Amino acid sequence: MYAETEPGAAAERTAFRRAEKQYKLYKPPSRKGRSRGKQSGGGGGGVGGGGGGGDLSAVVDFHALLAAGEGELPAGIRRCHRAGFHLPVFCFLDRPGFYFIPGALSTEEQCYWIRESLKTFPQPPNRTNLTAAYGPISDLLVAAKNQKILVEVESSNGQERDEQSNVGENAYPGKFKFVDGSEVQKEERPKSTTAAALVRKLRWSTLGLQFDWSKRNYDVSLPHNKIPDDLATLAKKMAVPAMPSGEEFTAEAAIVNYYGPSDMLGGHVDDMEADWTKPIVSISLGCKCIFLLGGKTRDEAPTPMFLRSGDIVLMAGEARERFHGVPRIFTESDQQGISALVSELSGDDDRFILDYIHNSRININIRQVY
């Protein structure tokens, strides 16, 4: 799904890599590692190490352009219009196939998809980055809210046993199950993990047709459910500006990316679908990020832009061949962008989700595979 990033020193010399380093949020050096007599540098928000994202003046802000009304746009940016599509859409003149829809989702819609991304989308048979280590994990969010702990289950003779449990209590045959904290002895804790920690360790989940990361292709033999109807309907509606005339988008697969405070997504191209005239529909939720849209090689300097919660990006045609990535998300130091989400997620049932989204970003990208 993602073409491999360029390894070694050669990557450090490319324009794309230089942009990644420019905008990446570097952690300040630890006190233990500082040279004696020197003060920590970097300033605002813990940015250090050669700049590390301090100057954001060149980052395109489509929300600011939208708020400015119908005035003149910066050079190279235009408004795009498509019959039957009534949301504002921006394009780059030199980046055909790329479409930016600012504020495409209402606050209520954003909260719905945040909940689904944490509660429903990691559910088996969907696979996640946790599956290889723990097997399929059901009801992870419910377990996290209830402060459950995932423990390894073995029989008395050391052999794995089948502990497939009752409703609401997950166990992978012979391996793991959720239990209350009171059931875990101190000596067992090194082999156990809290459900809340596992939610924080989520990095991806796959919906619909399952992508085989080792072979870099879709494996139709893997168990899977179809894309949820409401997500497929949303993707079909939002894909209209990028679709060939007279055709409709069919959602067949999706990947959900989960970003923690220091996570980034290196430059890559999405090149595994059969028909690149069909767009990737990419939905941003939670904390704001910087998105880099480059060229067909890493040597072309990328254009940086802000992606906020509720924004949708479409990439079709030539844009599918362009390197892109996320070098930085903005967390506690810049909460203005998610204040509406904080208000909407203020109920007791959403307390865990609210804590999560304060310093996390979720990206749902939906694809037509064939």
Side-chain angles (χ1 to χ4, degrees):
M1 191 166 296
Y2 300 129
E4 294 180 0
T5 53
E6 184 178 358
E12 299 294 321
R13 296 192 293 267
T14 66
F16 198 100
R17 180 57 178 156
R18 288 195 295 271
E20 288 180 319
K21 295 179 71 173
Q22 176 184 350
Y23 292 112
K24 181 179 178 181
L25 181 63
Y26 292 99
K27 296 180 179 179
S30 64
R31 185 174 301 275
K32 182 178 179 180
R34 293 174 188 163
S35 298
R36 188 170 297 176
K38 290 187 178 182
Q39 298 295 320
S40 61
V47 178
D55 182 6
L56 305 178
S57 59
V59 182
V60 178
D61 189 342
F62 285 106
H63 282 253
L65 298 182
L66 183 63
E70 295 296 322
E72 185 177 351
L73 295 173
I77 298 176
R78 67 182 179 91
R79 297 178 181 86
C80 302
H81 302 281
R82 182 71 177 263
F85 193 82
H86 305 296
L87 293 173
V89 184
F90 293 96
C91 308
F92 292 104
L93 293 176
D94 62 346
R95 302 284 197 271
F98 180 86
Y99 303 84
F100 193 109
I101 312 173
L105 301 181
S106 69
T107 300
E108 293 77 11
E109 289 173 314
Q110 293 170 49
C111 291
Y112 174 79
W113 291 115
I114 290 169
R115 295 183 186 104
E116 289 294 284
S117 296
L118 294 173
K119 180 180 180 180
T120 305
F121 295 165
Q123 290 279 79
N126 298 339
R127 296 191 303 157
T128 76
N129 59 296
L130 305 176
T131 304
Y134 301 102
I137 302 176
S138 296
D139 302 321
L140 176 59
L141 181 63
V142 173
K145 289 180 177 180
N146 293 325
Q147 300 181 336
K148 298 282 189 176
I149 297 177
L150 192 71
V151 296
E152 190 172 14
V153 179
E154 292 184 351
S155 63
S156 57
N157 62 3
Q159 298 298 313
E160 295 176 344
R161 69 184 181 188
D162 188 335
E163 286 278 348
Q164 193 63 38
S165 58
N166 297 325
V167 176
E169 191 179 20
N170 173 69
Y172 186 57
K175 289 197 175 180
F176 297 92
K177 72 172 183 179
F178 284 122
V179 300
D180 291 325
S182 59
E183 298 180 46
V184 181
Q185 300 297 323
K186 288 184 178 180
E187 60 268 19
E188 292 179 310
R189 287 191 179 273
K191 293 184 179 181
S192 61
T193 307
T194 67
L198 290 174
V199 172
R200 287 290 181 184
K201 290 179 180 180
L202 274 175
R203 288 299 175 263
W204 55 262
S205 62
T206 50
L207 286 63
L209 294 175
Q210 298 291 292
F211 191 78
D212 187 328
W213 296 94
S214 63
K215 299 178 182 178
R216 294 195 69 249
N217 61 22
Y218 289 95
D219 188 345
V220 297
S221 68
L222 290 173
H224 64 274
N225 294 329
K226 70 173 186 176
I227 296 291
D229 288 342
D230 49 1
L231 184 61
T233 299
L234 176 63
K236 177 181 175 181
K237 173 184 174 183
M238 293 298 171
V240 167
M243 286 296 292
S245 180
E247 297 188 34
E248 292 185 338
F249 183 83
T250 301
E252 295 173 321
I255 180 169
V256 185
N257 290 318
Y258 305 86
Y259 294 79
S262 60
D263 289 341
M264 63 176 290
L265 182 64
H268 65 279
V269 294
D270 294 286
D271 58 357
M272 293 310 301
E273 290 73 40
D275 184 357
W276 290 1
T277 66
K278 308 302 189 298
I280 291 175
V281 181
S282 180
I283 303 170
S284 288
L285 301 166
C287 291
K288 179 176 71 175
C289 77
I290 291 178
F291 178 79
L292 299 178
L293 178 65
K296 296 181 181 180
T297 73
R298 292 181 179 83
D299 294 322
E300 184 175 339
T303 299
M305 65 199 79
F306 291 120
L307 272 175
R308 292 180 169 85
S309 191
D311 292 343
I312 289 181
V313 160
L314 309 176
M315 298 182 70
E318 286 188 35
R320 294 293 300 271
E321 303 177 71
R322 294 185 176 274
F323 283 89
H324 56 279
V326 175
R328 177 180 178 182
I329 74 167
F330 298 81
T331 54
E332 290 94 341
S333 61
D334 183 18
Q335 291 296 312
Q336 182 179 356
I338 63 169
S339 58
L341 297 180
V342 172
S343 178
E344 186 71 18
L345 295 170
S346 59
D348 288 344
D349 194 51
D350 287 324
R351 188 172 299 170
F352 183 91
I353 294 175
L354 176 60
D355 180 66
Y356 177 90
I357 211 64
H358 264 297
N359 56 10
S360 302
R361 174 178 182 261
I362 298 172
N363 171 239
I364 309 171
N365 53 84
I366 308 109
R367 302 146 188 270
Q368 180 168 334
V369 177
Y370 300 111

